[in-house]
Amino acid sequence: MIAHVDADSFFASVLVRKDPRLRGKPLLALGMGGGCVIAASYEAKAKGVRTGMRLVDAIKLCPEALKVHSDFRETGVASNQLETILEEHCPFFEQFSIDEWFLDLPSIMGGVPPNLSTWGTNVRQEVLLRTGLSVSVGIGSSKLLAKMASEYRKPGGVTVVLNSPLPEGIGVEGEGLGVRAFLEDRPAAAIPGIGPRRQVHTQRLGWHTAWDIATANPGLLKQQFGKSGIEMQRELQGELLSPVARTHAPPKSVSRARSFAPLKDKMLLWAHTLRHLEYTVLKMRRHDLACRGITVWLRDNKYLYESAHASLPQLFNTEDHVRPYVERCFRRLYEQNYAYTQVGLALWNLRVCGGQQFSLFEDPQKAIEREALQKSLDELHERYGRQAITRGSALQISSGTKPALNWSVYE
């Protein structure tokens, strides 16, 4: 059995915990740039506001909403607090995002708890008592069922979806749902992975509920959604295809994006891109990885995305090596008369760095100097924060509360 623990309106709830005066009010937790809602209180959700909505659209639905920038440092602290509590209840868990975890219940000492509802309620109550944050708990025989179950009774709900028959010695207090009853009560859109594009196909084929997809003709399902559609169906039926990861594999990519009010200034957009380069390279090097590809994207004020990609000639792990390719991609995307509301950067095809490799077209001594410079930057960033030192081209913007120190800027 798998449990999925999901914090309720996490970014907004962290703001309320920090400032209790916000409790009970319609609240919009905004991203760094302030143009996008990354979480909303349930008072705002009741007016139709949804995560990922543009701020201008959210204000139309809820004009009285309070607009507050998210505190990312505090959310990191809260996430660590939640994980510490969950680890006390279950030794093997997998963090799925900053505010949700999968727990491997058979790894608990003594095996799967004899009463699943009681166990889930105890976890929820302890989290609330110790952190002041609400979580919802879903339990099922697959990750997909558990995740859907945690969404079923938000906020603060506990839902157990049962296979029949139950394993010997396992019980459920109160209302437990069988797989069929649960999926018949959920629309197809409630399945993670059924987005707007796939909904067009599900509706055309008469698959209106999650149960319709769980019992659909496998050949037709594969024809519409490929192999992932078959795997989705098997997980809906309760088959565990993706166990909880007990070891943390290194990331395959790292990325960062920032939203802001519509912006045409090329130099400011490039400054944001350089900030992303600092962040992603530092994060990649923490895992002793190097990249073979990069992607840059821009989003305009109509929420349309354009991206450019570049494959690198060899593994690179310093800003100096990666920057020329980032700049080329940026130049391909930027158009002078357009206003942009987001810029993003991703480093992908990450691999273990190993020993330093020299290009046939680069002086080895220069490569050694670049690596030495990058190590010095890493140490300064780790010790004093990423604001302590930055490229001169990125000084126009700040990604934190403190300005960059004047004693250390580099081009």
Side-chain angles (χ1 to χ4, degrees):
M1 298 294 284
I2 305 292
H4 182 255
V5 178
D6 189 5
D8 299 320
S9 295
F10 183 56
F11 287 89
S13 298
V14 169
L15 290 174
V16 172
R17 185 176 76 163
K18 185 178 178 181
D19 184 357
R21 293 174 299 177
L22 299 173
R23 190 176 306 279
K25 298 176 181 178
L27 173 65
L28 308 180
L30 307 181
M32 283 184 175
C36 182
V37 177
I38 62 174
S41 67
Y42 282 90
E43 291 79 8
K45 287 182 177 180
K47 300 293 183 70
V49 178
R50 294 292 177 263
T51 299
M53 185 175 282
R54 293 192 305 169
L55 177 59
V56 292
D57 296 329
I59 292 301
K60 290 177 182 177
L61 294 172
C62 188
E64 71 277 20
L66 301 175
K67 304 175 287 295
V68 183
H69 284 269
S70 298
D71 187 332
F72 293 98
R73 184 172 299 175
E74 188 65 23
T75 54
V77 171
S79 179
N80 290 334
Q81 292 173 337
L82 292 175
E83 188 164 294
T84 298
I85 295 171
L86 297 180
E87 189 174 13
E88 294 172 4
H89 285 269
C90 184
F92 291 128
F93 60 89
E94 175 186 344
Q95 185 171 23
F96 190 64
S97 70
I98 193 171
D99 62 347
E100 54 183 322
W101 294 261
F102 287 108
L103 282 63
D104 183 22
L105 299 188
S107 71
I108 298 173
M109 184 176 294
V112 177
N115 193 294
L116 296 170
S117 294
T118 300
W119 179 87
T121 300
N122 290 340
V123 170
R124 188 189 70 78
Q125 290 175 343
E126 184 171 348
V127 168
L128 185 62
L129 179 65
R130 291 171 58 178
T131 70
L133 298 171
S134 172
V135 298
S136 295
V137 181
I139 299 174
S141 56
S142 70
K143 280 184 174 178
L144 185 55
L145 285 176
K147 183 171 174 61
M148 291 177 65
S150 69
E151 291 284 340
Y152 190 57
R153 293 192 175 102
K154 271 185 169 286
V158 177
T159 302
V160 181
V161 179
L162 310 170
N163 284 66
S164 184
L166 279 173
E168 186 176 349
I170 305 302
V172 177
E173 204 172 70
E175 186 180 0
L177 295 169
V179 171
R180 177 169 183 169
F182 175 69
L183 295 181
E184 284 182 336
D185 195 40
R186 308 302 294 141
I191 304 173
I194 300 293
R197 290 184 181 179
R198 285 187 165 182
Q199 266 187 271
V200 173
H201 300 294
T202 60
Q203 292 172 359
R204 176 173 55 83
L205 292 166
W207 299 337
H208 302 295
T209 70
W211 180 249
D212 291 335
I213 293 180
T215 56
N217 180 282
L220 186 56
L221 194 65
K222 185 175 182 179
Q223 180 183 339
Q224 294 296 323
F225 303 142
K227 181 182 177 182
S228 63
I230 298 298
E231 292 174 347
M232 178 196 304
Q233 185 180 61
R234 291 168 65 186
E235 286 249 339
L236 287 172
Q237 294 171 353
E239 185 177 349
L240 180 60
L241 298 182
S242 177
V244 173
R246 299 190 178 189
T247 57
H248 296 285
K252 292 180 171 57
S253 66
V254 293
S255 63
R256 189 172 191 250
R258 183 167 186 179
S259 300
F260 31 75
L263 180 64
K264 291 185 177 181
D265 190 306
K266 182 178 181 179
M267 295 308 296
L268 282 175
L269 290 165
W270 176 238
H272 281 295
T273 308
L274 287 177
R275 284 292 195 187
H276 297 343
L277 180 62
E278 292 174 4
Y279 173 88
T280 53
V281 168
L282 178 63
K283 189 171 182 180
M284 174 178 69
R285 288 173 64 88
R286 283 174 178 165
H287 295 277
D288 195 27
L289 298 172
C291 65
R292 282 297 301 267
I294 64 108
T295 296
V296 178
W297 69 88
L298 292 174
R299 184 187 70 194
D300 64 23
N301 57 359
K302 296 181 180 178
Y303 265 54
L304 298 176
Y305 289 83
E306 291 289 342
S307 59
H309 315 277
S311 295
L312 308 183
Q314 66 182 69
L315 287 170
F316 286 147
N317 71 337
T318 70
E319 292 178 35
D320 275 353
H321 277 117
V322 177
R323 180 182 174 179
Y325 299 92
V326 173
E327 187 169 3
R328 284 178 216 164
C329 289
F330 179 85
R331 289 181 184 278
R332 280 159 48 192
L333 291 172
Y334 175 79
E335 294 188 33
Q336 188 172 0
N337 295 324
Y338 275 72
Y340 297 98
T341 59
Q342 186 184 93
V343 60
L345 171 67
L347 310 180
W348 43 267
N349 199 355
L350 303 186
R351 304 179 191 178
V352 176
C353 194
Q356 186 172 359
Q357 295 182 348
F358 301 113
S359 168
L360 293 173
F361 308 102
E362 181 180 29
D363 180 358
Q365 183 58 39
K366 190 172 182 180
I368 292 172
E369 291 172 358
R370 283 179 167 176
E371 177 61 23
L373 172 62
Q374 188 66 54
K375 285 184 177 179
S376 298
L377 295 175
D378 293 346
E379 291 172 4
L380 288 168
H381 287 152
E382 293 286 1
R383 186 170 182 179
Y384 299 108
R386 285 183 293 104
Q387 294 298 103
I389 183 168
T390 190
R391 295 181 183 271
S393 302
L395 277 175
Q396 300 180 72
I397 57 101
S398 173
S399 60
T401 56
K402 297 180 181 179
L405 302 180
N406 292 329
W407 53 265
S408 55
V409 288
Y410 64 100
E411 281 296 345

